[in-house]
Amino acid sequence: MPQSSFATSWAVAEGLGQRYRFRDRGGIEMEFLLKSAADIDRLEVAAVTERLQYVARALALIKAALNRQTALIGFAGSPWTLANFMLEGGGVKEYSKAKALFYSDPSLFARLLEKLTAAVTGFLQTAN
């Protein structure tokens, strides 16, 4: 059976309230960076499902168009991957801001990962 895939790695950040855009030179850029506890606190886990309804609607249309002839595989970014994008503003190799937050304020880092875990889980359950 042929396969088709879709990626929703950054959609969860958008659902939480941190929008992004695609750069002309490739990659993504976050609208703002998470720099403080206030930035993390303003991420709205409860809003993810509503804000990302367009993904569930699109998936329903795609599944219908595939007519059970092609498997559709989807995924979302892990909380660690999302944290790095949301802290750094795009893809990174060194994870310096995530590591710095982890070591300087472990409870805030844990709060961020808890929010991201809840958001990713809720999103994937809704998109199913």
Side-chain angles (χ1 to χ4, degrees), residues 12-14 16-19 30-44 79-90 96-98 100-101 108-109 111-113 115-116:
V12 173
E14 177 186 355
L16 287 164
Q18 187 185 29
R19 294 184 177 187
M30 305 311 286
E31 186 176 74
F32 64 91
L33 301 181
L34 301 181
K35 294 181 181 180
S36 67
D39 291 334
I40 292 169
D41 288 342
R42 77 184 207 190
L43 299 175
E44 299 176 272
W80 170 255
T81 301
L82 286 169
N84 278 285
F85 272 92
M86 296 170 83
L87 291 163
E88 300 274 358
S96 58
K97 291 183 180 178
L101 181 59
L108 182 59
F109 186 76
R111 195 161 76 224
L112 172 59
L113 287 188
K115 282 188 161 201
L116 295 176

Side-chain angles (χ1 to χ4, degrees), residues 42-96:
R42 77 184 207 190
L43 299 175
E44 299 176 272
V45 175
V48 171
T49 301
E50 181 182 328
R51 288 179 179 160
L52 299 180
Q53 279 298 309
Y54 72 89
V55 176
R57 288 192 301 272
L59 287 174
L61 294 172
I62 293 166
K63 286 178 186 178
L66 293 175
N67 198 27
R68 296 184 176 224
Q69 300 299 311
T70 302
L72 180 64
I73 301 169
F75 63 92
S78 73
W80 170 255
T81 301
L82 286 169
N84 278 285
F85 272 92
M86 296 170 83
L87 291 163
E88 300 274 358
V92 296
K93 294 182 183 183
E94 299 297 322
Y95 315 112
S96 58

